């Protein structure tokens, strides 16, 4: 049947590597404001409820950013400027809503903007006649339904609806592999063709359903965009140190904790961007399918955003002890980052078909992980500067392990 267009994966150019365009770099500026606003949710004395709210807001913000990022990745120079700028404007509204997130009107504005942006991003793929197989959330609208309902819901039920929508997106990320999506597309195509044969022709509606291609992301370009996101998040950590430090007396303790915070961020930069891929520590390119890389990137940068807030709070408690909640934000986020670094190292070695070397790997990850959790649980009597320096010692131990393995 010649009128049926077969779906073929889009092929990325191999002649030269494509880098982020000026439009994409301009679009990423919204991440600067967004991460700063999200970090402020954890300022002061963050409760468990504040941490949960931060998680929901961060996941929503990251999801929207990723929807437009993968669109720009596949579309390249043909990406519509209007679509990208509309996404940027909407994300600015999301960031502005975070400041008054405990107010009903701001929460409703956040939900409405999220829903609108999801449909804008999905519409961009329909206009291109493509189905993205590497991250189906970009076009999967089931997760948006709870957000639509939340617009007319007040109280804690709204947060549960947001969580349900994000959980559906997570399920789609883990369930819909590229191979499975291709099989489903071919099965749907075959069903439409059978109906057309029985009717003696294909309708205009069925023709539109068949007229699409399967698109794949450019992993090199995607890694660059993901890395830029991580750079911006690390920049928020630097901004926290500078902002709080500029308002305090420049004594020995301030200089000490400032240097410790800087060394901590430098170590994370090395693990995530020099020794990692897409901001995920210790991960090599092509070690995982893109959808799983995006999942690890999401968790990694959520932890780093919380870590930036923790560093700012440590500077605020310069000459005293960290409260339990602040200490757990700092140490818990660092522990989460260490777990991701272990996952990145393991999957990269298995993808390269080399021995994992569990003994040496765990020997350089478990001690700093145990240290950070111990500090979170029992470090109440330690001054803030001591807690930060101990975290630096922990990441230093992990870095020594990388140096030793490279020499071996």
């Amino acid at each position: 049947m010649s009128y049926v267009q077969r779906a073929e994966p889009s092929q990325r150019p191999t002649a030269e590597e494509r880098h982020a365009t000026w439009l994409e770099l301009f679009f990423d500026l919204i991440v600067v404001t967004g991460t700063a606003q999200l970090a402020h949710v954890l300022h002061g004395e963050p409760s468990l409820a504040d941490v949960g709210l931060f998680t929901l807001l961060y996941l929503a913000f990251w999801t929207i950013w990723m929807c437009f990022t993968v669109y720009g990745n596949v579309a390249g120079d043909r990406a519509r400027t209007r679509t990208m700028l509309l996404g940027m404007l909407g994300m600015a509204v999301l960031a502005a809503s975070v400041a008054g997130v405990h107010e009903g009107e701001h929460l409703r504005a956040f939900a409405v903007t999220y829903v609108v942006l999801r449909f804008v991003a999905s519409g961009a793929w329909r206009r291109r006649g493509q189905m993205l197989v590497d991250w189906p959330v970009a076009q999967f609208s089931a997760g948006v339904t709870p957000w639509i309902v939340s617009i007319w819901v007040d109280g804690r039920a709204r947060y549960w609806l947001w969580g349900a929508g994000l959980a559906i997106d997570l399920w789609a990320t883990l369930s819909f592999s590229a191979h499975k999506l291709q099989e489903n597309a071919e099965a749907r195509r075959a069903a439409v063709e059978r109906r057309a044969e029985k009717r003696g022709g294909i309708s205009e509606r069925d023709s539109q359903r068949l007229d699409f291609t399967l698109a794949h992301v450019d992993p090199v370009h995607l890694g660059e965009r993901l890395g830029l996101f991580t750079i911006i998040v690390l920049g928020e950590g630097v901004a926290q140190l500078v902002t709080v430090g500029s308002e305090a007396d420049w004594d020995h303790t301030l200089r000490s904790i400032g240097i410790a915070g800087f060394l901590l961020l430098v170590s994370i930069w090395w693990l995530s961007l020099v020794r990692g891929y897409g901001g995920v520590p210790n991960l090599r390119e092509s070690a995982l399918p893109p959808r799983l890389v995006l999942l690890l990137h999401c968790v990694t940068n959520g932890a780093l955003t919380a870590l930036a807030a923790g560093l700012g709070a440590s500077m605020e408690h310069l000459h005293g002890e960290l409260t339990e909640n602040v200490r757990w934000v700092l140490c818990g986020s660092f522990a989460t980052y260490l777990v991701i670094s272990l996952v990145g190292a393991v999957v990269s070695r298995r993808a390269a078909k080399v021995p994992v070397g569990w003994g040496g790997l765990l020997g350089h990850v478990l001690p700093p992980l145990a240290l950070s959790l111990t500090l979170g649980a029992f470090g109440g009597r330690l001054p803030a500067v001591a807690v930060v320096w101990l975290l630096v010692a922990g990441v230093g131990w992990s870095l020594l392990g990388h140096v030793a393995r490279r020499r071996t």
Side-chain angles (χ1 to χ4, degrees):
M1 303 177 66
S2 58
Y3 52 80
V4 177
Q5 178 182 349
R6 290 292 177 182
E8 298 291 343
S10 61
Q11 300 296 325
R12 65 183 178 92
T14 57
E16 61 182 51
E17 294 181 358
R18 184 168 67 86
H19 297 284
T21 64
W22 289 116
L23 175 60
E24 290 173 318
L25 293 175
F26 183 57
F27 175 82
D28 285 345
L29 286 178
I30 193 58
V31 180
V32 178
T33 302
T35 53
Q37 293 296 320
L38 290 167
H40 278 287
V41 177
L42 298 176
H43 277 199
E45 296 296 330
S47 62
L48 188 60
D50 292 327
V51 174
L53 180 59
F54 163 80
T55 303
L56 290 176
L57 297 175
Y58 166 78
L59 289 175
F61 187 85
W62 181 90
T63 299
I64 293 298
W65 179 82
M66 188 52 62
C67 284
F68 288 91
T69 295
V70 293
Y71 164 70
N73 176 275
V74 175
D77 294 335
R78 296 184 178 180
R80 290 192 173 189
T81 302
R82 180 177 59 186
T83 299
M84 297 294 290
L85 293 182
L86 184 59
M88 185 179 182
L89 176 61
M91 292 186 68
V93 176
L94 292 180
S97 301
V98 171
V101 75
H102 295 289
E103 301 174 9
E105 193 61 31
H106 281 239
L107 288 172
R108 186 170 290 105
F110 191 94
V112 170
T113 306
Y114 178 87
V115 171
V116 170
L117 291 179
R118 286 292 297 267
F119 283 115
V120 169
S122 179
W125 293 103
R126 287 195 300 272
R127 287 191 300 271
R128 289 183 59 82
Q130 289 181 314
M131 176 183 294
L132 182 65
V133 299
D134 291 321
W135 196 59
V137 174
Q139 299 162 279
F140 188 64
S141 59
V144 185
T145 304
W147 285 82
I148 297 176
V149 177
S150 74
I151 297 174
W152 294 276
V153 175
D154 295 321
R156 294 185 177 181
R158 172 180 286 151
Y159 301 133
W160 286 107
L161 287 169
W162 290 5
L166 295 170
I168 293 173
D169 288 338
L170 176 61
W171 169 79
T173 300
L174 297 177
S175 301
F176 296 157
S177 64
H179 178 70
K180 185 175 181 180
L181 282 173
Q182 290 177 1
E183 287 184 343
N184 291 342
E186 291 300 328
R188 187 176 68 178
R189 185 182 303 280
V192 173
E193 290 177 348
R194 286 194 298 268
R195 289 198 301 268
E197 291 178 355
K198 292 180 179 180
R199 292 194 301 262
I202 187 169
S203 65
E204 182 179 353
R205 179 179 180 183
D206 287 338
S207 178
Q208 293 176 352
R209 295 180 63 186
L210 291 174
D211 188 18
F212 69 91
T213 57
L214 301 181
H216 293 269
V217 298
D218 180 344
V220 177
H221 176 263
L222 182 64
E224 179 183 292
R225 295 295 306 283
L226 298 179
L228 288 172
F229 189 101
T230 302
I231 284 288
I232 293 173
V233 174
L234 292 176
E236 175 58 24
V238 175
Q240 292 280 338
L241 295 175
V242 172
T243 300
V244 180
S246 64
E247 300 173 353
D249 295 331
W250 288 20
D251 56 12
H252 174 73
T253 304
L254 175 66
R255 290 191 291 270
S256 179
I257 197 171
I259 293 174
F262 179 73
L263 291 177
L264 186 62
L265 294 173
V266 169
S267 301
I268 291 173
W269 161 80
W270 192 83
L271 287 172
S272 295
L273 298 167
V274 179
R275 290 287 299 169
Y277 164 72
V280 181
N282 299 326
L283 184 67
R284 299 290 91 188
E285 182 184 340
S286 303
L288 286 174
R291 60 195 177 92
L292 298 182
V293 173
L294 297 183
L295 179 61
L296 290 179
H297 178 271
C298 177
V299 178
T300 300
N301 287 276
L304 293 181
T305 304
L307 181 68
L311 287 176
S314 300
M315 294 285 285
E316 293 174 351
H317 295 78
L318 188 62
H319 298 286
E321 302 167 351
L322 295 177
T323 63
E324 182 179 7
N325 294 346
V326 171
R327 193 174 67 251
W328 267 117
V329 167
L330 179 64
C331 298
S333 58
F334 182 69
T336 302
Y337 180 81
L338 290 174
V339 172
I340 296 297
S341 71
L342 176 61
V343 173
V346 171
V347 299
S348 296
R349 292 187 180 197
R350 288 184 172 177
K353 298 181 179 180
V354 299
V356 175
W358 285 103
L361 191 61
L362 293 178
H364 289 95
V365 174
L366 288 184
L369 178 60
L371 174 63
S372 60
L373 294 177
T374 301
L375 288 174
F378 306 107
R381 296 187 178 182
L382 293 175
V385 63
V387 173
V388 179
W389 271 110
L390 285 172
L391 294 182
V392 173
V395 74
W397 177 267
S398 182
L399 290 176
L400 289 176
H402 285 285
V403 174
R405 286 194 298 273
R406 290 185 65 183
R407 290 181 177 178
T408 302

